[in-house]
Amino acid sequence: MASISIIGLGNMAKVLGARAAAGGNAVEFVGRDAGKASALARTVGGGSASVSMDAAPSGDLVILAVPWESAVPVVQQHGTALDGKIIIDITNTFDLGDYGGRHVPADTSVAQQIAEVAAETAQVFKAFNTIFGTVFSRNEQVDAFFAGNDGRAKEEVAAFIKSLGLRPVYAGPLVMARALEEAGLLVMGLGRWGEKNYEFSLAVRKRSDAGV
Ligand SMILES: NC(=O)c1ccc[n+]([C@@H]2O[C@H](COP(=O)([O-])OP(=O)(O)OC[C@H]3O[C@@H](n4cnc5c(N)ncnc54)[C@H](OP(=O)(O)O)[C@@H]3O)[C@@H](O)[C@H]2O)c1
């Protein structure tokens, strides 16, 4: 099991933190409001801890559960404290007002922008942005798409996803974070106009005769 720092104290921090703690990971919440952070750690339980934004995150995996526009500034704020860490970006970048396109240029993604400012020794991944918080909170096994460069860190991220009771589905190197960010917009559109609810998730369904 892994040690996890979750930066942000909102909906996704709570549901991710709860599943991570239940999965046997050491969870630390990192937030701007120390009282809110410790209250969240108490609510989630499972031995979870909290620290303020001034402290260096202690987890080997650092999850950015903040709005997309805060992701790069948060990584810059923590500077060398993130050296050697696995950074997991869960952000979606679209505008909920008009469901317009992503707020980053088409040839990049928030995750790639994070990689540009993070230490060379940090490994950046995109994950969880296609799963609604409501789905997360039900503790069911759903597909969790993730993207990031191949290697040992990829295996650690996959193991962490499994520890949450989810099925890791690798979408490719970090350049594929663009596709996952578009997929985040896709699930919102499906929820609003097609399914007319937010109680579903994207999945890979293999052909029964595929033989793989
Ligand atoms: N909700 C979903 O279903 C869902 C699903 C997939 C992905 N996402 C993505 O997950 C991310 C978090 O979503 P959410 O629903 O958890 O949002 P949320 O409930 O609004 O929580 C956002 C948290 O980010 C913190 N924050 C914002 N700027 C910060 C900064 N500069 N430094 C430190 N903390 C900062 C806020 O801190 P304060 O508490 O101090 O205000 C708040 O605790 C978003 O990028 C969203 O697109 C959400």
Side-chain angles (χ1 to χ4, degrees), residues 127-128 144-146 156-168:
F128 306 124
F145 298 99
F146 73 109
E156 287 180 46
V157 173
F160 172 61
I161 291 172
K162 276 188 197 158
S163 80
L164 303 181
L166 301 167
R167 190 173 83 94

Side-chain angles (χ1 to χ4, degrees), residues 6-125:
I6 301 176
I7 303 180
L9 307 172
N11 295 321
M12 287 301 282
K14 185 177 176 184
V15 293
L16 259 165
R19 281 184 86 135
N25 300 285
V27 177
E28 168 188 84
F29 293 101
V30 185
R32 302 188 280 206
D33 180 332
K36 196 171 165 181
S38 63
L40 182 55
R42 276 196 303 279
T43 302
V44 166
S48 55
S50 65
V51 293
S52 77
M53 282 292 285
D54 304 329
S58 64
D60 295 328
L61 277 69
V62 177
I63 299 176
L64 304 177
V66 297
W68 69 272
E69 64 270 31
S70 297
V72 165
V74 159
V75 169
Q76 288 172 316
Q77 182 180 343
H78 280 103
T80 55
L82 300 183
D83 285 6
K85 308 265 186 196
I86 292 174
I87 300 172
I88 302 181
D89 164 35
I90 73 163
T91 67
N92 277 314
T93 69
F94 45 80
D95 188 335
L96 276 178
D98 63 5
Y99 287 67
R102 294 156 56 228
H103 284 293
V104 291
D107 63 351
T108 188
S109 62
V110 177
Q112 289 166 277
Q113 290 178 338
I114 290 166
E116 281 167 22
V117 301
E120 271 182 32
T121 54
Q123 299 271 359
V124 180
F125 286 81

Side-chain angles (χ1 to χ4, degrees), residues 173-189:
L174 194 61
V175 68
M176 288 301 290
R178 292 179 303 179
L180 293 187
E181 291 180 10
E182 290 288 356
L185 181 59
L186 172 65
V187 291
M188 287 305 296

